[in-house]
Amino acid sequence: MTEQFDLLVVGGGINGVGIARDAAGRGLSVCLCERDDLAAHTSSASTKLIHGGLRYLEQYEFALVGKALAEREVLLRAAPHIIWPLRFVLPHQSHLRPAWLIRLGLFLYDNLGRGRRTLPGSRRVALKRHESGPPLRNEFHTGFIYSDAWVQDARLVVLNAMDAMERGATIFTHTRCVSASRATDGWTAQLQTAQGELSTVSAKVLVNATGPWAVQFLDQVAKVGHDHALRLVKGSHIVVPRLFDHQHAYIFQQPDRRIVFAIPYEHDFTLIGTTDMDYHDDPSTPHINGEETNYLCDAANRYFKRSIAPADVVWSYSGVRPLVDDEVGNASEVTRDYLLELDRQGAPLLNVFGGKLTTYRKLAEEAMDRLATLFPQASEAWTSKGHPLPGGERQDVDRLQRELQSSHPWLPEPMAWRLVHSYGSRTTRILGQARSLQDLGEHFGADLYQAEVDYLRTMEWAVDAADVLWRRSKLGLRFNAEQAARLTGYLADAPSRRASFA
C-alpha cells in the first residue's frame, strides 16, 4: 500500500521540521523522513544562538539582520524554556574597529527588525567596574554590551518535530529517501529504514530540505536538472572548563576581522567558536583539526587572563553549513540568507538552500506561502502568532522551576533547572507520580534516570546513547565510558519495554 500525503519533506534538520510543523498546522497531511537522528548534523552544531548576526551589518546584510532580529522576538515567546536572553560583552580594541563604528552598529542592531520589544538595549561600560571585566586582560578598559539569545539548538529541532507530529504529521527518523519519481500530478518516493525495510509514499509536493546534501539529493535521488551550487563551510567549536563565573557572554574581535564567541555553557564550561573553513569532504563526518583548535585557543587568549591550550579542550564539535554560493572569496563573508526555489517542471519540487537557525520559522512560513496556491484548503500562516512549542506554554520559566521544586522537594535544584530548561511544562510528564529519585528508575549517571530516558525514547525519537547524551541533552559532558555503555545497553533492549507519557 502506498501512503499518500500533501507534502513529503526530506531532511530532519531545523528547516525540514520547521516546514513540516508549519504545513501540519495549516491542515495539510505531511510526511517527514530523516536518514539519521533529528538534528544529527548541522542543526546541532551551531553556536547555540538566536541572534541577528551583528557582524553581518559590516557586509550590508541589513535585510537579513532585521529579519533575524524580528524572529528573535517570536522565538523567545514560542520556547522560553529552551531559548532565553543573553547579554554579550564586546571588549573594545580601537585598532580593529573604531568606537563610533561599534556604537553605530549597535544602534542599528537595537532598532532593526521592528525594534526591540523585550530585551534591554546596548550600552557602553567601563570594564574595571563591570563583572565581565576581571576575567579579561588588563589592557581592556572599555566594552560594549548588547542583547541576543541562547538556544538549545537540537532541542529546538526536536520540539518542532513533536509539534508537527501532534498536529498530524508523520515523522520517520533513521529512514532514508532512496528514490523519488516525478509525475505531472505528484511524486512517488521509496523510503528505507536503517534495518533495510522499504515502503512507498506519494505526495503532491516534494520538499528538499537536506541541507549540505541538497544538490546531491537533486542529482542522485530526485534526478532533477538544476543550476545551483552550495558552498560548504565548516564551523568548529571547542568546550573548555569554565573561564569566568558570571552569566555574560563575550564577543571577541580577531586580527583577521572575524569574531569569536565565548559563552557560558552547561554551568561548568565555556563554549568558544566558531571557525569558517571551506569544506570539500563528506558532510556527515566533519571534525575539528589542529589549526582550528589553535585558532580558537589563540582567539580566547588574546582577551582572557587565563590562558588555554588544546590540552584544556574537553569536547569539540564541527558542523557543515550549506551556504548559497555567492562567489565571495572569504568563507566567513558568504551570505547566511536562504534561497527557496519552487520547481514546477512537473509535480512541484521545493528546494531549500542555505539559511540559519534563527530564521528557520520565517523560512518555513515563506515556503508554505509559496505553496499556498497548490493547497486552497490550507489555512493561513499561523506560527508567528504566539503558538508555543511543546513545553513552552509558561513564559515565566523561573516560576515554573520554583513550583516544580515546591511540589517535588526531593528534586535537586540543578536537576530541576535542567529538566525545566529542557522540557518546560512537560517536565511533570517525566516525573509522573514519583516521590523520590528512586521512583525515577535506574540511575545511569549525572542526573539522568530511567524515567527521562523512557520519555526521550517514547516521545522524542531517541534511539541510541548519542541521541540522549549529545542532542536531547549535553549530559555526555558528564558521562564516562562505562555509564554511556550501560545506557547504550538499556536503549538496545528498549523495544521490549513500553511507557506512557500522556
Side-chain angles (χ1 to χ4, degrees), residues 234 275-277 288-298 310:
K234 182 177 68 166
T275 60
D276 278 307
M277 299 183 65
I288 193 169
N289 60 34
E291 178 185 352
E292 291 176 290
T293 300
N294 288 330
Y295 177 89
L296 294 175
C297 288
D298 291 344

Side-chain angles (χ1 to χ4, degrees), residues 191-483:
L191 309 183
Q192 184 177 43
T193 68
Q195 294 74 36
E197 299 172 355
L198 294 172
S199 61
T200 303
V201 301
S202 66
K204 186 171 183 179
V205 176
L206 177 64
V207 177
N208 171 18
T210 55
W213 295 272
V215 171
Q216 181 180 324
F217 179 83
L218 294 176
D219 292 337
Q220 300 179 12
V221 180
K223 294 183 171 60
V224 171
H226 63 90
D227 57 2
H228 290 292
L230 287 177
R231 184 167 178 177
L232 302 185
V233 175
K234 182 177 68 166
S236 296
H237 299 76
I238 59 174
V239 176
V240 299
R242 187 171 59 189
L243 294 173
F244 47 91
D245 293 331
H246 58 80
Q247 289 305 304
H248 286 71
Y250 295 93
I251 175 172
F252 294 149
Q253 304 173 87
Q254 299 303 310
D256 60 5
R257 298 188 66 79
R258 293 200 68 256
I259 57 96
V260 168
F261 294 103
I263 303 171
Y265 191 61
E266 296 294 316
H267 299 289
D268 298 320
F269 304 94
T270 299
L271 173 66
I272 302 172
T274 178
T275 60
D276 278 307
M277 299 183 65
D278 284 308
Y279 189 76
H280 305 287
D281 297 324
D282 183 359
S284 302
T285 56
H287 297 289
I288 193 169
N289 60 34
E291 178 185 352
E292 291 176 290
T293 300
N294 288 330
Y295 177 89
L296 294 175
C297 288
D298 291 344
N301 291 340
R302 290 187 181 96
Y303 287 84
F304 287 126
K305 291 175 182 174
R306 177 182 165 189
S307 181
I308 60 171
D312 296 310
V313 176
V314 299
W315 183 51
S316 64
Y317 63 90
S318 301
V320 177
R321 307 181 190 101
L323 305 180
V324 177
D325 192 354
D326 53 9
E327 299 182 351
V328 302
N330 191 327
S332 67
E333 295 178 358
V334 181
T335 182
R336 268 52 175 177
D337 211 346
Y338 52 81
L339 172 66
L340 298 173
E341 180 202 61
L342 181 57
D343 178 352
R344 297 292 299 271
Q345 303 300 311
L349 167 65
L350 181 69
N351 292 307
V352 180
F353 299 109
K356 54 180 292 190
L357 193 71
T358 305
T359 53
Y360 87 90
R361 189 212 61 84
K362 188 65 175 176
L363 179 153
E365 184 176 75
E366 290 180 9
M368 292 312 303
D369 286 347
R370 292 280 297 274
L371 298 175
T373 58
L374 302 171
F375 301 107
Q377 79 277 20
S379 57
E380 296 181 347
W382 61 279
T383 58
S384 67
K385 299 175 182 178
H387 295 276
L389 288 167
E393 295 81 7
R394 296 279 299 274
Q395 290 294 308
D396 191 340
V397 179
D398 291 337
R399 181 175 179 180
L400 178 61
Q401 181 184 336
R402 292 194 299 270
E403 292 175 359
L404 181 72
Q405 290 189 264
S406 176
S407 60
H408 300 75
W410 47 268
L411 200 61
E413 183 176 355
M415 182 175 177
W417 191 97
R418 183 183 68 80
L419 291 175
V420 167
H421 284 82
S422 297
Y423 307 103
S425 60
R426 299 200 175 190
T427 301
T428 53
R429 301 191 184 190
I430 296 172
L431 300 178
Q433 301 301 312
R435 298 190 176 187
S436 69
L437 288 173
Q438 289 72 29
D439 290 343
L440 297 177
E442 182 176 353
H443 179 218
F444 293 102
D447 60 13
L448 182 67
Y449 288 82
Q450 179 181 335
E452 184 177 358
V453 175
D454 287 347
Y455 176 87
L456 293 174
R457 177 182 59 83
T458 304
M459 302 301 297
E460 294 195 6
W461 299 277
V463 172
D464 59 30
D467 298 346
V468 173
L469 297 178
W470 294 111
R471 285 181 286 278
R472 307 310 184 278
S473 74
K474 290 297 179 287
L475 291 172
L477 288 165
R478 306 180 189 279
F479 263 53
N480 60 37
E482 180 182 348
Q483 292 167 330

Side-chain angles (χ1 to χ4, degrees), residues 90-101:
L90 171 61
H92 183 227
Q93 292 202 75
S94 58
H95 66 284
L96 294 178
R97 290 173 178 87
W100 68 264
L101 181 61

